[in-house]
Amino acid sequence: MDRHRIHVCSTCRGSRPDEASMRDAGLQPERTSLAWTRTALSMLVTAAISLKSGSEFHRLEIVTAGACLLIGAVFAWVTGMTRNNEILHTAAVMSPSGSLIVAMAVGSLTGCVVVTAVLAKNLLSIP
């Protein structure tokens, strides 16, 4: 019978839980912010490889893709750090801020447009 007993701390008995104690006890928000940092690191490594190989073989499209990956890595790192600060300094679990979502959308769209323009230029210039 004892193993089914629920432990209630003495300070919580008879009191209404506040917003800070209602926070999700899971680690999902922290894992998500760490995932942004890991994504930024992998993008940085891929960007470095693309920039090096593109410059060695004089391939503009590979260098451009590497530069876009580098910019994307910076966006992902900033997003991860911003999200981590939001999680650490807020008692409640919250969704990302609107400005963060807009910044990521603009960065992603810009990267897609640049890569598409460079690839289209190189594909159309083939005789």
Side-chain angles (χ1 to χ4, degrees), residues 16-33:
R16 184 175 178 170
D18 60 333
E19 186 178 333
S21 65
M22 296 291 289
R23 181 174 182 207
D24 179 21
L27 298 176
Q28 189 275 332
E30 287 82 1
R31 285 194 309 264
T32 302
S33 67

Side-chain angles (χ1 to χ4, degrees), residues 64-65 67-69 71-72 75 104-118:
T64 304
C68 288
L69 277 169
I71 293 169
F75 270 109
M104 285 305 297
V106 168
S108 300
L109 183 62
T110 303
C112 290
V113 167
V114 169
V115 168
T116 303
V118 169

Side-chain angles (χ1 to χ4, degrees), residues 7 11 44-45 81 95 106 123:
H7 174 71
T11 58
L44 183 64
V45 169
M81 292 296 108
S95 61
V106 168
L123 288 176

